[in-house]
Amino acid sequence: MPPLFVVGWSSDHRALRILDQRHLPGAEVMRDLVTLDEVIDAIRTLAVRGAPAIGVAAAIGLVVALEQESDGRGDRARALLVPYAERLVASRPTAVNLSWAVGRLVAMAAAVGDDALLAAVRAGAEAIRADDVARCEAIGRFGLTIVPDGARVLTHCNAGALATAGIGTALAPVHLAHREGRRVHVYADETRPLRQGARLTAWELQRAGIPVTVLPDGAAASLLRSGAVDLVIVGADRITANGDVANKVGTYGVALAAHAHGIPFYVAAPWSTIDAATPTGAGIEIEHRHAAELGDLPAGARVWNPAFDVTPRALVSGYLTDRGFVTPPFFGVAGA
Ligand code: MRU
């Protein structure tokens, strides 16, 4: 199977190219985006999603939008840079990789003159993309120790190749273990309401030839009690300095159930997901999404639809990063 193309440059390098995940698992639709509005819409509607992939999409999207709108003039691009960056950062607030990636480009632009600005941010966006590929591989390699032959892994949402420019975070050790010939079975929570586990994780794993069983979110606790799962690995949208973890809503419940049944619960993320400037999970802005995502409801029914939740540090057995297994607190670490 060829590697998945999820997010990167178009063939002529003038557009952001994404695999539009709204069409999965039914169809593989590639889209090329050039305007800031198109990029923001793709991020908001989860055409491109998953914290690292959002960061890469925002970086490349910012560059191509600046190039187009400035007619290649550095002074014009500089005037547009911060307003564009602010609009991108506001498009999905929880995943720190978005503001991290955009912030890096803004800092790079500040370090050069107008003549060099567009070349600098283009090189910066490509570095962020390539860096994500490398970080995923590193996470996978370090994570091989927790995925022995025969491992049965539960995951929530999609923190695989579809969520990054590389082989994923939570699923990186699974992909590498499978490549090495180890037998691995993945249980994928359906992940209400947008069904990233059922639509995306199951598709990605099947495509790679990795056995996968999809379960409704509400069945995860019973599955963990049944003894069918050896370990849980999830991704993260933001890890605060004390080790609290924001991830797809439902992760906290899985962590509680894993804890109750003595099953290790690992969080896998690139270093760029660590937000050392936010002390605890209480400081994380949680995105709330539209009521329509919950489907048919009686007219007038009130809805609470947070896209993410926060799992406290006490429930996390280990933090798997591109620098190996690390232990909080992360105060004072550079978020790169
Ligand atoms: O709303 P989504 O699909 O972007 O949420 C994705 C997740 O919660 C992932 O687990 C997280 O971003 C980590 S992706 C490597």
Side-chain angles (χ1 to χ4, degrees):
M1 252 310 149
L4 266 175
F5 184 101
V6 171
V7 59
W9 306 90
S10 60
S11 338
D12 64 1
H13 277 232
R14 291 284 150 220
L16 164 67
R17 177 165 292 175
I18 59 160
L19 169 61
D20 188 336
Q21 301 189 29
R22 295 170 299 186
H23 299 284
L24 290 175
E28 282 179 61
V29 177
M30 305 304 298
R31 286 182 61 213
D32 287 353
L33 316 173
V34 277
T35 69
L36 192 71
D37 285 344
E38 285 172 339
V39 174
I40 288 174
D41 183 66
I43 293 173
R44 277 212 185 110
T45 60
L46 276 59
V48 58
R49 34 78 38 212
I54 292 171
V56 173
I60 296 178
L62 179 57
V63 170
V64 297
L66 284 176
E67 287 175 344
Q68 161 143 316
E69 291 302 318
S70 68
D71 275 333
R73 280 187 45 185
D75 57 335
R76 284 199 197 146
R78 190 178 300 285
L80 296 172
L81 178 66
V82 170
Y84 278 20
E86 284 172 354
R87 285 186 56 205
L88 277 164
V89 168
S91 62
R92 287 198 83 189
T94 304
V96 74
N97 307 61
L98 175 48
S99 52
W100 170 82
V102 168
R104 271 178 77 149
L105 295 194
V106 171
M108 284 172 188
V112 295
D114 288 348
D115 287 353
L117 187 147
L118 284 167
V121 290
R122 175 169 271 271
E126 172 53 18
I128 287 168
R129 189 203 63 77
D131 179 64
D132 187 50
V133 175
R135 286 176 198 253
C136 290
E137 285 288 329
I139 291 169
R141 273 200 314 279
F142 285 117
L144 277 173
T145 53
I146 56 170
V147 185
D149 185 40
R152 300 162 305 166
V153 180
L154 175 78
T155 192
H156 189 76
C157 193
N158 174 269
L162 286 168
T164 66
I167 59 168
T169 60
L171 295 185
V174 169
H175 281 294
L176 289 193
H178 174 74
R179 247 187 245 170
E180 286 202 346
R182 299 184 196 177
R183 290 159 300 163
V184 190
H185 192 105
V186 176
Y187 289 95
D189 283 349
E190 179 191 14
T191 316
R192 283 268 156 194
L194 296 180
R195 306 187 65 248
Q196 289 94 328
R199 290 191 306 110
L200 307 179
T201 297
W203 182 82
E204 171 180 335
L205 293 175
Q206 274 193 350
R207 185 180 179 278
I210 300 169
V212 55
T213 302
V214 178
L215 59 144
D217 295 351
S222 304
L223 185 77
L224 289 166
R225 187 176 59 188
S226 76
V229 173
D230 300 308
L231 72 161
V232 178
I233 317 179
V234 297
D237 286 84
R238 193 182 289 250
I239 301 173
T240 54
N242 72 332
D244 290 348
V245 177
N247 193 48
K248 178 54 54 192
V249 69
T251 301
Y252 177 36
V254 174
L256 284 168
H259 186 73
H261 298 296
I263 294 165
F265 177 92
Y266 293 101
V267 173
W271 201 257
S272 45
T273 300
I274 296 177
D275 175 10
T278 301
T280 73
I284 300 175
E285 182 183 347
I286 299 291
E287 173 188 357
H288 282 255
R289 295 188 61 88
H290 203 273
E293 289 182 351
L294 297 194
D296 274 350
L297 297 168
R302 293 182 196 176
V303 162
W304 188 60
N305 185 22
F308 301 96
D309 61 23
V310 176
T311 297
R313 189 261 168 280
L315 298 176
V316 180
S317 313
Y319 298 81
L320 170 59
T321 74
D322 46 299
R323 300 183 188 181
F325 285 91
V326 297
T327 310
F330 304 117
F331 292 100
V333 302

